[in-house]
Amino acid sequence: MHMCFISLDRYLGIRNPLKTRHRYTTRTVVLRIALVWLLSMLVSSSITVLGVINPKNIMPKPNECVINNRAFFVFGSLVAFYMPMVVMVVTYALTVQLLRKKARFAAEHPEADQFRRLGGRFPAKPERPTTIATHQTMWRTAGRGDRYV
């Protein structure tokens, strides 16, 4: 379960680096960690509930502790293994695809250094040539408005 959330966070961080950076505050990180632990406890506590409802689910014979409930096998396998595995495989496949796309773009456009630094969101702006006239009109002396420095 933890690895599933880590892979999802990695993909979102690579896909939208600026948005993800501002979205992850201390509060949201604590809430996500709490959510992962609560989901893990929910999956693992279901066998305890099955044992309380019917002790034969856990101890079919005296001195023999065996999980004897097929519903728990299906539920536990799906929720604790198969669903997180599918999420992880999909997010890592998307991550690899996105990284290849960004690498291909970086190789094809070596002049767009500004574009790469900003995470692919904004095009590089060409530098404007500065002229002496623009600098002279910006700096005025105090007092008379017709004199330039």
Side-chain angles (χ1 to χ4, degrees):
M1 194 72 64
H2 292 84
M3 296 299 292
C4 173
F5 275 79
I6 289 171
S7 68
L8 191 60
D9 283 343
R10 283 182 182 168
Y11 172 68
L12 293 175
I14 292 171
R15 184 165 185 240
N16 298 317
L18 298 177
K19 191 176 187 180
T20 305
R21 182 177 181 191
H22 293 294
R23 189 179 290 167
Y24 286 160
T25 62
T26 304
R27 182 175 183 229
T28 58
V29 169
V30 169
L31 287 173
R32 287 172 188 232
I33 292 171
L35 177 68
V36 169
W37 278 100
L38 285 173
L39 287 173
S40 299
M41 287 189 307
L42 178 71
V43 170
S44 64
S45 67
S46 62
I47 191 66
T48 306
V49 172
L50 287 173
V52 169
I53 292 173
N54 184 2
K56 296 283 185 188
N57 285 326
I58 296 175
M59 296 190 69
K61 299 177 186 173
N63 298 327
E64 184 180 333
C65 183
V66 178
I67 299 173
N68 211 15
N69 190 316
R70 293 204 185 267
F72 174 75
F73 288 139
V74 173
F75 172 75
S77 298
L78 283 176
V79 175
F81 180 73
Y82 289 110
M83 287 175 23
M85 181 194 70
V86 168
V87 170
M88 287 172 47
V89 167
V90 168
T91 56
Y92 279 124
L94 290 173
T95 300
V96 168
Q97 179 184 11
L98 184 63
L99 288 174
R100 284 183 179 163
K101 182 179 176 183
K102 286 188 175 193
R104 192 176 322 116
F105 180 84
E108 291 172 0
H109 302 284
E111 72 281 354
D113 185 43
Q114 179 75 16
F115 187 83
R116 283 195 305 271
R117 275 191 268 132
L118 293 174
R121 292 251 173 206
F122 305 102
K125 293 181 181 177
E127 291 185 24
R128 293 186 309 168
T130 57
T131 61
I132 297 173
T134 58
H135 287 292
Q136 287 178 351
T137 58
M138 291 177 59
W139 303 99
R140 294 184 177 206
T141 59
R144 300 172 80 188
D146 58 337
R147 291 180 49 195
Y148 299 108
V149 176

